[in-house]
Amino acid sequence: MPSLTLPPVPHYQAAPPTKADLDYLVSHVQDALLTHGFLFVVGHGHTQAQERYNLRFLSGRCLTSKQTDRIFDIADVPFTGVSDEEKQVYTNAVKQTGSFQGYKHRGYWHIKNGVRDQLEHYNSKKHQSFCLALQVRLLINLSVYRDVTKRTHPEAVRPFLPEIKEFAKFNHFNVVHPILRRLAGCRLIALSLELPEDALVNVHNYDAVGETYGAFEHLAISNYPRSAEEEAQSNNVWLKGHTDFGSITLLWSQPVAALQILCKDGRWRWVKHIENALVVNVGDAMDFLTGGYYKGTIHRVVQPPPDQQQHTRLGIVYFVMPDDDTKLIPCVKVPYSRELGSTLRCEDSMAPTMEQWRKGRSSAFGQSDLKQAQEQGVEEEVINGIMVKHWA
């Protein structure tokens, strides 16, 4: 960190784990990405509450003590430390710009039967900041651009930008790049496709033009309660099933149960909280780049169990995307794609760049008039000439 003296920040008290008997997703690491597009990462080197970290960033500076806990404290600041008036200054026109930079207010996305979302976002790109998201009742995204000084931020957030930047670098270099190369004890991504180790790393450059961003997510259910009618109309779904449009998404595990994954048997299963673990989802860009070998994780957010509905849900997310100028075509032709059920999203000649894909997905999400698909519970839209599905 730039200084040994860190600015004070109020402590965020996390919710206790639920005691509800939920149908959790259980998967072996070896087939987790292929089967579900999802896995847990532990032993990532970011210790939750030790006095000093063994890990150094590329800058050569050590992480401070209790960094994970402190990052969660910082994540709460955009929600409790920024007035509604100041938030208006950082409001972004997502549909017009195709970018999740600045605030997105509650009610912007349509969920189902006229029910709108309760998420308010504040985003800025990865070398500008970290995406702070107040999820399901107030979701603010302050995305992590690699240089957090390149755009202004709410006054309450500014003292923490150096720490946010270092945390972004930790995610990118110590988690994302190793995942793209391999995970210890398991052949994944590049190695499983017999690609050169850095084939995917080389299109995920930290300093390149792109929109990789992080998110702090805050779910304050009791502050913005939905009516019983709204819950019935949306089937308790707070963010409908979708795939992320980047390559992978890192979610720092937190105790409030709300995230579900659609499994191969057609059932939605809950993602279980594992202390100081990372949940890793695959997104559209990885689907494109691997020729359909790794498909996007279909996931949604639903109402938490009753014993957690009076608690806030504060999460930390790092959305990873290839460089903007990356053409989303397969890095390698997978010879056994039929055996694995993999299919190409489009012909190479029709493939968008990452910039085109992220702008198209961002502009349309929650705004498009979706058409009912032949599959039950599935709706469709076409973006850049490519079919995109959404799940109830």
Side-chain angles (χ1 to χ4, degrees), residues 250-265:
L250 309 181
L251 172 65
W252 288 77
S253 188
Q254 55 74 48
V256 177
L259 179 63
Q260 292 184 331
I261 304 292
L262 183 61
C263 299
K264 293 292 185 181
D265 60 5

Side-chain angles (χ1 to χ4, degrees), residues 29 32-33 37-41 179 183 188 278-281:
V29 173
L33 285 180
F38 158 92
L39 55 81
F40 283 107
V41 173
I179 286 175
L183 287 177
L188 294 174
L278 280 164
V279 177
V280 181
N281 291 343

Side-chain angles (χ1 to χ4, degrees), residues 41-194:
V41 173
V42 295
H44 44 67
H46 200 275
T47 307
Q48 183 151 14
Q50 68 187 57
E51 286 304 312
R52 190 79 171 166
Y53 292 102
N54 297 323
L55 187 46
R56 290 181 178 271
F57 289 120
L58 267 61
S59 63
R61 293 187 292 267
C62 287
L63 292 174
T64 58
S65 66
K66 301 183 180 180
Q67 180 68 27
T68 303
D69 286 343
R70 182 172 170 84
I71 287 294
F72 272 90
D73 294 343
I74 293 172
D76 198 39
V77 170
F79 317 113
T80 59
V82 180
S83 68
D84 290 340
E85 291 76 17
E86 189 177 6
K87 290 173 186 175
Q88 292 296 328
V89 176
Y90 300 95
T91 298
N92 180 42
V94 179
K95 189 171 184 177
Q96 288 72 29
T97 63
S99 174
F100 284 109
Q101 307 308 308
Y103 281 94
K104 180 214 69 80
H105 295 291
R106 293 188 303 273
Y108 178 73
W109 291 331
H110 177 254
I111 305 301
K112 186 178 182 181
N113 296 327
V115 178
R116 313 294 296 186
D117 79 284
Q118 295 292 333
L119 292 86
E120 182 180 6
H121 290 207
Y122 181 73
N123 291 307
S124 75
K125 296 180 184 178
K126 95 177 150 240
H127 42 267
Q128 289 180 337
S129 64
F130 211 84
C131 159
L132 306 175
L134 170 57
Q135 178 178 324
V136 182
R137 295 302 169 176
L138 181 60
L139 170 62
I140 294 184
N141 281 324
L142 173 56
S143 98
V144 183
Y145 231 180
R146 292 138 270 207
D147 182 355
V148 298
T149 63
K150 287 192 175 181
R151 77 184 301 274
T152 58
H153 304 281
E155 185 176 356
V157 176
R158 295 171 196 169
F160 307 107
L161 293 180
E163 293 174 83
I164 290 170
K165 179 180 179 180
E166 291 300 313
F167 187 68
K169 290 170 67 177
F170 173 86
N171 280 271
H172 205 89
F173 292 112
N174 295 83
V175 182
V176 173
H177 280 185
I179 286 175
L180 293 177
R181 293 188 180 103
R182 63 184 179 275
L183 287 177
C186 181
R187 294 171 64 84
L188 294 174
I189 313 290
L191 289 184
S192 64
L193 294 175
E194 298 184 357

Side-chain angles (χ1 to χ4, degrees), residues 104 220 222 259 341-342 382:
K104 180 214 69 80
S222 59
L259 179 63
S342 59
V382 176

